[in-house]
């Protein structure tokens, strides 16, 4: 997703480290060899390439070595709001700081914007951050990589808008000016309308969050899926049956489970009921969702659980007033962000490295597991 290039990196040999092993509940002591960005079998590679291999050796000093984290919903960080026109330095600075938190790749997330011209201007700059910036410090292998844009909106249920500006929300059967389109539009015209809204960089979009109950939403979900874009249901008052239809049409993700959706009810489970069989993201920051709610969702679908930060530009900054798109928000103590007067929770301020730590854990010998399960969350072995 980036035009930044760099020279080939030398092989890396990580020694004296503990590796998370899916076949073993405890981290395994061993070395790890990385060549051209790929993990390779150390013994086999040395046997075949020993004459040409001069790796850089990194002593991990007995620490756990784990894959970099991927954040598929993040609105900004360290002073950069992805939903506002910015400059190359701020974007690259944000990506550099994200890497320091353990987030090696991410989906820059845009909230609902007021004009299509904003989408047309912002998306290209996120894909190829403009100058000025010092390219010697911002190359693709030393910053968090942009793996595709996440558009959160603007096709939401107004009553589930969350921190999005109500005037920016509309359904796929309306133009931005509010003029009704034909609710019987075919799938092609619905998708063309969406592409006109997003602009020429529409193919840089990899995830779109929308409410499935809106007119023409099913057609858009189907079209997005057919074009390699992940439709994610959220900011919705959808019933379970409508959500199930969305899944049949190609939706395979639920955006920030529990938040901005109808609460679970034993007679009408809504979108939350789909989380047992559908991939879902969840904000595990200790604020948006109670730890028991996180555990409940995780136990119901361990393979489909995706932790996200939903962080914003105020992450890494001081308390005070900040922006999320066109909405003014207030960062207060305890990592909370609220919209003044409404007292509505907005985005998170947690880094991806802290998200797993918010899941309730307990120490069992030298292991740290998610409380009440045998699922490994970390290690205290040295």
């Amino acid at each position: 997703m980036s035009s930044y290039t760099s020279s080939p990196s030398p092989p890396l040999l990580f020694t004296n480290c503990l590796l998370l092993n899916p076949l073993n509940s405890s981290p395994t002591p061993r070395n790890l060899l990385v060549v051209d960005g790929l993990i390779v079998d150390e013994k086999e590679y040395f046997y075949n390439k020993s004459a040409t291999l001069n790796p850089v050796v990194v002593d991990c000093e007995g620490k756990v070595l784990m894959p970099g984290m991927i954040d598929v919903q993040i609105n900004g960080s360290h002073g950069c709001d992805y939903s506002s026109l910015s400059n190359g330095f701020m974007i690259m600075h944000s990506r550099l700081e994200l890497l320091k938190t353990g987030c090696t790749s991410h989906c820059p997330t845009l909230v609902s914007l007021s004009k299509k011209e904003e989408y047309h201007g912002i998306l290209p700059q996120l894909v190829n951050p403009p100058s000025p910036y010092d390219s010697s410090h911002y190359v693709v292998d030393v910053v968090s990589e942009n793996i595709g844009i996440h558009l959160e909106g603007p096709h939401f249920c107004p009553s589930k808008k969350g921190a999005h500006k109500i005037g920016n929300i509309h359904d796929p059967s309306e133009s931005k000016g509010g003029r009704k389109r034909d609710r019987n539009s075919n799938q092609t015209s619905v998708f063309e309308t969406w592409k006109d809204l997003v602009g020429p960089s529409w193919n840089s979009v990899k995830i779109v969050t929308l409410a499935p109950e809106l007119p023409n939403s099913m057609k858009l979900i189907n079209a997005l899926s057919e074009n390699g874009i992940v439709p994610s249901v959220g900011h919705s008052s959808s019933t379970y049956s409508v959500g199930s239809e969305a899944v049949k049409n190609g939706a395979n993700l639920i955006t920030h489970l529990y938040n901005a959706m109808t609460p679970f009810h034993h007679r009408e489970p809504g979108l939350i009921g789909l989380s047992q069989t559908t991939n879902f993201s969840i904000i595990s920051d200790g604020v948006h969702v109670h730890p028991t709610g996180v555990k409940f969702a995780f136990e119901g679908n361990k393979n489909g659980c995706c932790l996200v930060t939903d962080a914003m530009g105020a992450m890494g900054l001081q308390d005070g007033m900040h922006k999320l798109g066109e909405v003014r928000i207030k960062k207060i103590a305890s990592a909370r962000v609220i919209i003044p007067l409404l007292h509505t929770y907005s985005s998170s301020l947690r880094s991806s490295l802290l998200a797993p730590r918010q899941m309730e854990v307990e120490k069992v010998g030298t292991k740290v597991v998610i409380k009440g399960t045998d699922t490994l969350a970390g290690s205290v072995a040295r």
Side-chain angles (χ1 to χ4, degrees):
M1 294 303 299
S2 174
S3 63
Y4 299 99
T5 59
S6 61
S7 58
S9 300
L12 292 174
L13 179 61
F14 295 93
T15 64
N16 191 23
C17 57
L18 295 169
L19 300 183
L20 298 180
N21 187 343
L23 302 179
N24 192 331
S25 60
S26 299
T28 305
R30 61 165 294 178
N31 296 341
L32 183 74
L33 178 63
V34 178
V35 179
D36 295 330
L38 299 176
I39 298 174
V40 300
D41 183 273
E42 179 190 358
K43 294 181 180 178
E44 180 180 345
Y45 195 90
F46 270 100
Y47 180 79
N48 295 323
K49 307 268 188 177
S50 58
T52 59
L53 185 68
N54 293 300
V56 174
V57 178
V58 180
D59 186 351
C60 295
E61 300 178 346
K63 296 183 176 66
V64 173
L65 185 64
M66 62 180 290
M69 286 168 282
I70 302 171
D71 195 346
V72 299
Q73 185 171 6
I74 178 167
N75 302 287
S77 77
H78 302 88
C80 183
D81 176 25
Y82 297 151
S83 298
S84 302
L85 285 170
S86 188
N87 59 60
F89 174 80
M90 290 302 299
I91 295 171
M92 299 306 285
H93 174 70
S94 169
R95 291 171 62 177
L96 178 63
E97 293 300 320
L98 284 179
L99 187 67
K100 295 177 182 178
T101 71
C103 177
T104 56
S105 54
H106 65 289
C107 292
T109 304
L110 274 66
V111 297
S112 303
L113 303 176
S114 61
K115 301 175 182 178
K116 68 179 184 179
E117 288 78 13
E118 292 180 277
Y119 288 103
H120 296 190
I122 293 172
L123 264 65
Q125 73 172 12
L126 290 174
V127 176
N128 294 301
S131 296
Y133 64 90
D134 183 350
S135 60
S136 66
H137 291 87
Y138 299 111
V139 290
V140 74
D141 60 346
V142 294
V143 296
S144 180
E145 183 182 3
N146 170 5
I147 57 173
I149 307 296
H150 180 169
L151 292 187
E152 192 182 1
H155 305 315
F156 288 166
C157 171
S159 65
K160 301 296 181 183
K161 66 181 182 62
H164 294 239
K165 193 173 181 179
I166 187 66
N168 296 349
I169 294 171
H170 56 101
D171 65 53
S173 65
E174 293 180 357
S175 67
K176 185 59 196 73
R179 179 172 57 86
K180 291 288 182 181
R181 296 188 185 276
D182 184 359
R183 295 193 175 204
N184 297 316
S185 299
N186 61 42
Q187 181 175 304
T188 300
S189 66
V190 170
F191 188 55
E192 290 300 318
T193 298
W194 178 83
K195 288 199 297 183
D196 178 66
L197 171 69
V198 177
S201 297
W202 69 268
N203 57 358
S204 66
V205 176
K206 299 304 177 186
I207 304 175
V208 174
T209 296
L210 72 166
E213 71 272 20
L214 301 178
N216 285 330
S217 275
M218 291 299 174
K219 294 172 185 174
L220 182 54
I221 287 171
N222 201 305
L224 291 169
S225 179
E226 289 181 353
N227 283 273
I229 300 171
V230 175
S232 184
V233 291
H235 285 269
S236 165
S237 59
S238 171
T239 61
Y240 178 82
S241 61
V242 171
S244 298
E245 184 182 352
V247 171
K248 292 178 182 177
N249 276 275
N252 60 359
L253 183 65
I254 306 169
T255 293
H256 48 50
L257 190 71
Y258 298 118
N259 298 118
M261 61 185 62
T262 305
F264 180 89
H265 189 277
H266 60 284
R267 295 193 187 96
E268 177 46 71
L271 295 183
I272 296 173
L274 294 173
S275 66
Q276 304 291 293
T277 55
T278 306
N279 299 324
F280 64 90
S281 66
I282 192 166
I283 308 171
S284 177
D285 63 352
V287 177
H288 282 77
V289 182
H290 191 279
T292 299
V294 176
K295 179 182 175 183
F296 180 84
F298 174 75
E299 287 295 330
N301 186 3
K302 294 180 181 179
N303 291 332
C305 179
C306 175
L307 299 181
V308 296
T309 63
D310 197 24
M312 55 166 294
M315 186 179 98
L317 301 183
Q318 298 294 318
D319 291 353
M321 299 301 296
H322 301 278
K323 278 185 62 180
L324 177 62
E326 300 174 41
V327 178
R328 295 279 292 174
I329 56 88
K330 184 177 182 180
K331 178 182 176 183
I332 58 178
S334 303
R336 285 172 167 80
V337 179
I338 61 171
I339 302 174
L341 302 181
L342 298 181
H343 298 286
T344 299
Y345 282 132
S346 181
S347 297
S348 170
L349 297 169
R350 301 285 187 184
S351 71
S352 54
L353 193 60
L354 292 176
R357 299 181 186 179
Q358 295 303 314
M359 299 185 77
E360 198 170 0
V361 299
E362 58 185 349
K363 181 180 176 183
V364 181
T366 60
K367 297 185 296 182
V368 178
V369 299
I370 297 173
K371 193 170 185 179
T373 77
D374 58 0
T375 303
L376 184 68
S379 172
V380 291
R382 296 294 297 178

